Amino acid sequence: MTPAMRLPVEQRMYIPSPGEASDVELLPAGDVTGGVLRVGGTVRRPHQTQSFAVADYLDWLENAGFKGSPRFLGRDPSGRDVLTFMPGDCSAAVPEQWVQSEDLLASVALLLRRLHAASAGFIPSEHPFPRHPIPAERLHAGQDRLVCHLDVTPQNVVVRGGLAVGLIDFDLAGPATAFRDSFNTAMHWVPLRDPVDAWPGWETLDPFRRLRIFADVCGWTAEERRRLPEFGADAAGLSYDRMEHNAGTLGGGWARMWADGVGGMIRRRRAWLQANGGRLVSALTD
């Protein structure tokens, strides 16, 4: 739909088509958001505080010609957000062996780079993204902010033919920088974590080789490569503070993850990044 034909996101209502209710599938719950359904060719998600900000962002990406994100269609009679369904494969909570493919890793980096190019110029003025009480300014270092996905996990990437073609679950989207978003993506896909926290079957992967593949496709600068260990350690500290805050104030999935020990995993990741800083920089620069 062309921008001139669209209603403002808060005015859009989605009218279900006859027969849609006969084709319903409960989709895997995310860490925080549950109750997500596929109904025909659409996805129904609980409406949230940031829903209209995300909807404006998805409109912008559609206008920019980015095909790797769902489209916001409106709210259904139950008040749920309705988006287009993106067919393909997504990882399970414990990623399968096919997720380890280096071709897939490189395609994730390329898709993320295309997302950042399409996001350039978007200013969320009508519906600003909610501000977190624990700010992330120390990770931006004065750089221009860019609205990013910020949760490109294996579970949120749509894969077809072994390559990444789409991104879903924009719940955590908001202003950041391209480097922060790409580091966060590498953290999950390389992955960058203490080996004690490796997913089953991922223990033998070479994170230094995989990081170089990802960084080269993402186009990280020499300066970004050199400061990755320090940046990653700072990001882990911020993540710990935010997770602890969200667990105590928002509860739900945040509290469950905290009870399951995510705080300890974040601290181990920080220590691993600091202990392996030299190897990481060498892998990225030699």
Side-chain angles (χ1 to χ4, degrees):
M1 183 180 295
T2 62
M5 297 175 63
R6 293 196 198 108
L7 288 171
V9 294
E10 68 273 14
Q11 296 180 23
R12 284 183 219 165
M13 297 300 297
Y14 179 80
I15 307 302
S17 301
E20 272 189 348
S22 64
D23 183 17
V24 178
E25 174 188 9
L26 179 64
L27 297 177
D31 288 331
V32 177
T33 305
V36 181
L37 301 174
R38 179 189 62 79
V39 182
T42 69
V43 171
R44 312 292 170 87
R45 299 174 54 86
H47 186 76
Q48 301 180 75
T49 303
Q50 70 274 22
S51 287
F52 289 146
V54 170
D56 282 339
Y57 182 38
L58 295 178
D59 279 357
W60 175 275
L61 294 176
E62 181 179 5
N63 296 346
F66 182 72
K67 301 184 183 301
S69 57
R71 308 307 183 208
F72 178 74
L73 302 177
R75 287 175 293 168
D76 69 7
S78 298
R80 297 173 298 185
D81 295 336
V82 183
L83 301 99
T84 54
F85 175 71
M86 301 191 70
D89 297 318
C90 294
S91 166
V94 176
E96 301 88 343
Q97 186 172 358
W98 59 264
V99 183
Q100 301 175 13
S101 161
E102 291 183 352
D103 287 341
L104 175 56
L105 174 69
S107 73
V108 170
L110 181 59
L111 181 64
L112 190 65
R113 193 169 182 176
R114 289 173 175 164
L115 173 72
H116 294 160
S119 300
F122 174 63
I123 300 175
S125 55
E126 291 297 320
H127 303 99
F129 286 90
R131 291 181 61 84
H132 199 282
I134 301 175
E137 275 78 5
R138 67 179 184 259
L139 297 184
H140 298 138
Q143 300 177 52
D144 292 337
R145 293 196 177 189
L146 182 77
V147 174
C148 302
H149 186 286
L150 296 176
D151 196 26
V152 185
T153 65
Q155 296 78 21
N156 289 339
V157 172
V158 179
V159 178
R160 298 189 208 118
L163 300 177
V165 297
L167 300 170
I168 58 174
D169 194 351
F170 281 71
D171 284 357
L172 298 184
T177 66
F179 183 59
R180 180 186 169 205
D181 197 21
S182 57
F183 167 79
N184 190 71
T185 301
M187 183 180 70
H188 295 291
W189 280 88
V190 168
L192 298 173
R193 60 176 60 187
D194 188 311
V196 73
D197 295 313
W199 292 304
W202 287 63
E203 301 90 346
T204 60
L205 294 185
D206 182 351
F208 304 99
R209 171 183 167 84
R210 289 175 63 84
L211 181 62
R212 180 61 182 259
I213 293 170
F214 182 88
D216 285 352
V217 177
C218 259
W220 285 357
T221 66
E223 192 271 338
E224 288 170 337
R225 293 168 192 248
R226 286 191 298 268
R227 71 186 181 99
L228 178 132
E230 179 183 1
F231 180 91
D234 284 347
L238 175 67
S239 178
Y240 183 93
D241 292 344
R242 284 186 160 184
M243 289 292 297
E244 184 178 36
H245 176 273
N246 288 347
T249 60
L250 302 179
W254 298 106
R256 176 185 54 77
M257 287 188 285
W258 192 257
D260 288 344
V262 70
M265 186 181 74
I266 294 170
R267 282 181 163 170
R268 289 189 294 273
R269 179 171 71 240
R270 187 174 192 269
W272 185 87
L273 288 165
Q274 292 173 322
N276 289 276
R279 292 188 66 188
L280 290 165
V281 172
S282 292
L284 288 168
T285 59
D286 288 350

